Amino acid sequence: MSVVTDSVAAPADATDMVSVRAVHKVFGHGHDAVHVLKGVDLDVARGEVTVILGPSGSGKSTLLRCINELEEITGGSVVVGGDLMGYRKDANGTLHRLHPKAVAKQRSRIGMVFQRFHLFPHMTALENIMEAPVQVRGLSKRAAKKRAMELIERVGLSDRMDHYPAQLSGGQQQRVAIARALAMDPELMLFDEPTSALDPELVGEVLSVMQDLARSGMTMIVVTHEIGFAREVADHVVFMDDGVIVESGPPSAVLDDPQEQRTQDFLAHVL
Amino acid sequence: MSSNKTPAGDPVPNRIHARPVPRPGRLVAAVVVLVLAAMAANALITNENFRWDVVWLYLRDIVVIRGVMWTLVLTFASMAIAVVLAVTLAMMRRSDNPVMRWVSWVYIWFFRGTPIYTQLIFWGLIAVLYPRLSLGIPFGPELFSFRTDDVITAFWAALLGLALNEAAYLAEIVRAGLTSVDPGQTEAAKALGMKDGKIMRRVVLPQAMRVIVPPTGNETISMLKTTSLVVAVPFTFELTYATSAIGNRNFLPIPLLVIAALWYLLITSILMVGQHYLERHYGRGFGTATGRRGRGTGPGGGKQAAIAAAGTVRVDITKEVTP
């Protein structure tokens, strides 16, 4: 595979949870091809919270989806927890695509929370949380239920555990979705605009659950437009535009003293 | 408008007690329709040519009951085979493999595109087309061989004919059901590390069933009556042929037709009850008439249910997500 650069060989820093190297993503072929990611490098240390900001269409969601293999990358490499995602490299350096089962196993260690929740509507809140531990990990129903009840308490919804998603508010659904992702004991949590589909008064309850999670030492990558959350919770803020990372650093630097014109323009619009 | 009749404790202090719009046409229409219905019922009951005594006599005849049993066996066995085949065909249509997609398309094209009656005649003639069936290596030596007549009896020809035809229709219903499930569901399941087979069984199919069950119930009811065509094979034990045979023998075709109609109606009614419960089972979590609904808790509970039941708003106004 010629698209893979030499940087694949570079050993990941031992403290790095995520190491994204020169990632390109092209959707479609020929004339319809859209080049969404144009060489992205990103490192996230264990226990660190990284917030990705940027205008819509800048490739933030795509980057997130490439990290857990929901999208196959076109070039570069993604390493999560020391594992090359989606491929096996043989002694000659040739890449072999992993079997879907192996990819599924890699994904099971990464939790993801979606903008539109995507709870399973035919299952109660508790059943949603129990589903993956029982079906993927082979946990007994009893053990999964015990764990699910702990998690649903952690997101403050013990009194709603027998409700179907349609009977919950958006904020409650998103908290159940976070508990569902946590049930797999992920090493890394990805949040794809978790509060963008919520009414303004429900945003706070979801952000506070995420803040608690960050405090507990979870490694998190969060795509969001909540600048306040970025300022308070993030260790790193990354600003993306047009498929590349324009600027990154601690929140105080990127948010309060942006060096790049594009970052300044964006922040002027959202703040 | 007046408020003088408002009882004490009414939370609406100025409740409207207006006179309704006069609608004399409604009453007239109801009377006309009732009179017509009474005339029709009278014409059915009092006409001696229906021979209700004969209807009652043969309704429980052993040949008729056997006909009912064969009709039920054909209906349920062919639907069962058709459902399995249809799910396979629908998944082939959605496959990444172009050969699978193409084969499924051709199958559906052929079996939907030719009349079931013609197909049944063909299945009846299969022994003429292929007198011997054999198992062996494709285009190579034979291992076993049978006389077609011994393997494919009239019953099996009828069953296969009905099932293979029905599968083509059901495959499109299943495909529509699978397509109706939000792709986000598959993504969420993938992100949890579920494998494709599990995603299909645990997440996609249960949701697709909500869309698949109502038309499949319809198809089952339709199949019940399509079984009367297996005389084309010919298979002669099912209800329509059994009753008309008695009718022809006794020169009383009309009461025997009525018997067949009554049995079909009875079975259809039972199927409708079953369909109602199936729809309720697969509709759980989707708002209408689920078991756990109506507890009156949560924003989707009692209040929203009452608003929805009024039928005056089309969208769920308390939901903050755009659908």
Side-chain angles (χ1 to χ4, degrees):
Chain A
M1 290 198 95
S2 57
V3 283
V4 179
T5 63
D6 293 338
S7 53
V8 177
D13 189 330
T15 61
D16 270 357
M17 186 71 234
V18 181
S19 149
V20 172
R21 285 285 169 276
V23 162
H24 284 258
K25 174 65 190 173
V26 179
F27 287 97
H29 301 280
H31 291 297
D32 300 327
V34 183
H35 204 153
V36 176
L37 295 180
K38 303 171 179 170
V40 174
D41 293 282
L42 179 70
D43 290 294
V44 178
R46 213 171 275 275
E48 208 181 59
V49 177
T50 298
V51 167
I52 305 178
L53 300 174
S56 52
S58 58
K60 350 181 257 301
S61 288
T62 303
L63 175 60
L64 217 55
R65 294 162 58 82
C66 285
I67 291 174
N68 77 343
E69 279 283 310
L70 280 181
E71 304 289 354
E72 261 179 57
I73 56 177
T74 317
S77 68
V78 175
V79 175
V80 176
D83 277 356
L84 181 61
M85 294 296 289
Y87 299 91
R88 179 177 58 79
K89 200 173 189 186
D90 66 17
N92 301 326
T94 311
L95 289 178
H96 300 263
R97 181 78 190 142
L98 286 179
H99 189 274
K101 280 181 184 171
V103 175
K105 193 164 183 190
Q106 289 186 324
R107 280 199 198 105
S108 71
R109 293 161 34 220
I110 305 172
M112 183 151 189
V113 174
F114 299 87
Q115 179 179 0
R116 297 261 320 280
F117 331 134
H118 298 321
L119 289 179
F120 305 132
H122 56 302
M123 300 179 193
T124 63
L126 203 64
E127 288 166 349
N128 262 282
I129 302 171
M130 289 163 61
E131 182 66 10
V134 172
Q135 297 298 329
V136 179
R137 287 275 153 79
L139 214 63
S140 75
K141 280 211 166 152
R142 180 197 290 267
K145 188 168 181 179
K146 187 165 167 282
R147 175 90 174 108
M149 287 170 83
E150 287 167 19
L151 286 165
I152 208 161
E153 195 184 344
R154 186 165 165 192
V155 298
L157 287 171
S158 293
D159 57 332
R160 293 279 187 271
M161 64 185 182
D162 289 329
H163 284 56
Y164 285 96
Q167 296 165 301
L168 300 172
S169 74
Q172 291 169 340
Q173 287 187 56
Q174 194 60 297
R175 282 145 71 194
V176 173
I178 293 172
R180 176 176 71 172
L182 290 176
M184 291 297 282
D185 299 312
E187 306 170 273
L188 168 69
M189 284 284 282
L190 308 174
F191 293 84
D192 188 4
E193 302 202 28
T195 57
S196 298
L198 298 176
D199 269 358
E201 81 266 24
L202 301 176
V203 169
E205 61 185 76
V206 173
L207 290 182
S208 92
V209 167
M210 289 167 62
Q211 195 160 2
D212 286 347
L213 196 57
R215 235 179 258 136
S216 76
M218 177 64 74
T219 314
M220 293 163 57
I221 304 179
V222 185
V223 169
T224 185
H225 294 294
E226 298 290 332
I227 304 292
F229 178 83
R231 197 186 301 278
E232 245 178 89
V233 182
D235 300 299
H236 265 283
V237 174
V238 170
F239 176 73
M240 277 184 79
D241 192 15
D242 198 24
V244 293
I245 289 177
V246 176
E247 189 163 1
S248 74
S252 54
V254 177
L255 297 175
D256 301 326
D257 186 23
Q259 303 300 308
E260 298 289 330
Q261 185 61 43
R262 279 190 281 181
T263 317
Q264 289 165 11
D265 291 347
F266 175 78
L267 289 172
H269 277 102
V270 286
L271 286 178
Chain B
M1 218 193 297
S2 72
S3 60
N4 52 359
K5 278 184 283 180
T6 302
D10 189 337
V12 183
N14 53 349
R15 188 177 290 276
I16 294 170
H17 296 280
R19 310 230 162 186
V21 174
R23 294 190 187 276
R26 281 186 178 180
L27 188 67
V28 174
V31 169
V32 168
V33 168
L34 279 176
V35 168
L36 286 174
M39 284 165 69
N42 185 52
L44 274 174
I45 295 162
T46 59
N47 187 337
E48 304 242 313
N49 292 334
F50 276 110
R51 294 293 305 270
W52 290 101
D53 54 326
V54 177
V55 170
W56 182 240
L57 183 67
Y58 279 103
L59 192 61
R60 300 147 302 155
D61 188 273
I62 183 67
V63 177
V64 174
I65 300 290
R66 260 207 330 243
V68 171
M69 297 315 288
W70 279 115
T71 293
L72 286 175
V73 166
L74 277 176
T75 304
F76 287 109
S78 62
M79 283 307 284
I81 297 171
V83 164
V84 173
L85 203 51
V87 172
T88 314
L89 284 167
M91 287 183 184
M92 283 166 72
R93 271 299 289 272
R94 288 159 57 93
S95 164
D96 292 331
N97 186 335
V99 176
M100 294 289 160
R101 283 204 303 273
W102 186 79
V103 166
S104 173
W105 187 89
V106 169
Y107 181 98
I108 293 167
W109 170 76
F110 180 78
F111 280 93
R112 281 203 312 184
T114 53
I116 174 73
Y117 197 78
T118 313
Q119 288 173 28
L120 285 168
I121 296 173
F122 257 97
W123 283 104
L125 294 174
I126 194 86
V128 179
L129 286 167
Y130 300 100
R132 297 195 75 79
L133 294 178
S134 61
L135 276 179
I137 296 152
F139 306 106
E142 283 180 14
L143 300 177
F144 303 98
S145 122
F146 321 87
R147 264 169 41 88
T148 306
D149 274 337
D150 297 340
V151 185
I152 301 184
T153 59
F155 171 74
W156 282 102
L159 185 60
L160 281 176
L162 292 172
L164 295 186
N165 177 264
E166 185 59 34
Y169 287 92
L170 283 180
E172 290 294 277
I173 291 172
V174 172
R175 189 167 70 98
L178 295 178
T179 310
S180 76
V181 178
D182 178 1
Q185 292 289 310
T186 305
E187 258 181 16
K190 263 190 188 174
L192 286 167
M194 290 172 79
K195 291 170 201 153
D196 290 349
K198 279 249 162 77
I199 295 174
M200 184 52 79
R201 273 199 312 281
R202 299 282 312 172
V203 177
V204 177
L205 264 182
Q207 294 181 60
M209 287 304 273
R210 199 171 59 94
V211 174
I212 292 171
V213 164
T216 301
N218 210 30
E219 289 290 314
T220 308
I221 288 167
S222 171
M223 175 61 84
L224 176 72
K225 288 157 294 176
T226 306
T227 55
S228 63
L229 295 180
V230 297
V231 68
V233 169
F235 179 80
T236 54
F237 296 129
E238 54 72 46
L239 182 57
T240 297
Y241 194 85
T243 49
S244 69
I246 299 173
N248 291 338
R249 212 166 47 237
N250 301 350
F251 303 107
L252 290 166
I254 289 169
L256 272 300
L257 280 176
V258 171
I259 288 172
L262 287 176
W263 273 111
Y264 283 123
L265 264 178
L266 177 70
I267 300 167
T268 302
S269 310
I270 296 168
L271 288 177
M272 284 166 72
V273 174
Q275 183 178 359
H276 169 77
Y277 283 104
L278 263 181
E279 280 179 28
R280 200 170 72 167
H281 175 75
Y282 285 110
R284 71 194 190 283
F286 282 93
T288 50
T290 59
R292 304 197 202 195
R293 203 74 188 177
R295 271 187 182 179
T297 49
K303 205 186 283 179
Q304 183 54 30
I307 295 172
T312 47
V313 261
R314 262 194 293 166
V315 287
D316 194 341
I317 52 172
T318 60
K319 255 205 177 146
E320 46 272 275
V321 195
T322 39

